[in-house]
Amino acid sequence: MKKKFSFAAVCLLALMALIAVSCHKEDDYTPVTNDTTVANDTVPDTPEPTPSILGKWKLDSAIQNVSGNEIDITNFYGYEFFLTFLEDGTLITSDGINDVEMQWTLDGDQLGFIQVPGAAPVMYLVEVLETERLVIVNGAGSDYVTTMTLHRVE
């Protein structure tokens, strides 16, 4: 019986030593990354400035979708077509030869071109408004949808 008790005591000590060793906490490992976008908790997030539509934009392309068929109509507007949005609500369209002045409004993503005072505006959806890129869509939900892509020039 004494042998059994001694054997049990040795096993218990070995088990306790094993438990003690396995409870040792390993050092925290932080992987090294080259990600420069890691947030710094001490610096509050600053919102990105909202790009402005004000300024001069040059047409890159005008694509019209007619019942599922895409047609490039850029040459209809001309390759020197510009839209200039002024702070006072004036819009100047130019084809490189003629300038036409009208008014513009922007409410959220709804851009209106008022061609004749008192007339209903021609409405565009502002699909993309970035610092250097503007994409506007006219006729969404109809059989004739025109998408104009422009870039800022000044």
Side-chain angles (χ1 to χ4, degrees):
M1 177 118 174
K2 195 173 179 181
K3 279 186 173 185
K4 286 185 182 180
F5 179 76
S6 295
F7 180 74
V10 169
C11 287
L12 184 62
L13 285 174
L15 182 61
M16 288 173 59
L18 184 62
I19 290 172
V21 170
S22 68
C23 288
H24 174 62
K25 183 179 178 188
E26 292 185 25
D27 294 334
D28 290 335
Y29 172 73
T30 304
V32 176
T33 65
N34 291 330
D35 187 5
T36 58
T37 62
V38 175
N40 185 349
D41 291 337
T42 61
V43 178
D45 291 338
T46 54
E48 290 289 324
T50 304
S52 173
I53 199 167
L54 296 176
K56 189 172 185 179
W57 300 86
K58 183 177 183 189
L59 181 70
D60 291 325
S61 67
I63 305 296
Q64 190 167 66
N65 188 314
V66 181
S67 300
N69 296 316
E70 287 191 354
I71 303 165
D72 186 346
I73 59 170
T74 308
N75 61 354
F76 173 78
Y77 291 95
Y79 289 94
E80 292 299 316
F81 183 80
F82 296 90
L83 297 175
T84 304
F85 296 90
L86 302 178
E87 196 167 357
D88 67 357
T90 301
L91 171 64
I92 301 169
T93 63
S94 176
D95 62 5
I97 299 170
N98 299 308
D99 292 347
V100 176
E101 190 174 303
M102 59 182 82
Q103 296 297 305
W104 68 275
T105 61
L106 181 61
D107 185 14
D109 62 358
Q110 299 298 308
L111 176 63
F113 289 7
I114 305 165
Q115 297 173 344
V116 178
V122 176
M123 297 304 296
Y124 288 84
L125 170 69
V126 178
E127 196 169 87
V128 175
L129 175 55
E130 299 171 346
T131 305
E132 299 296 322
R133 185 169 174 246
L134 174 64
V135 179
I136 57 177
V137 179
N138 173 259
S142 72
D143 289 337
Y144 298 93
V145 178
T146 303
T147 302
M148 298 174 76
T149 302
L150 304 104
H151 70 275
R152 188 180 302 274
V153 292
E154 291 179 10

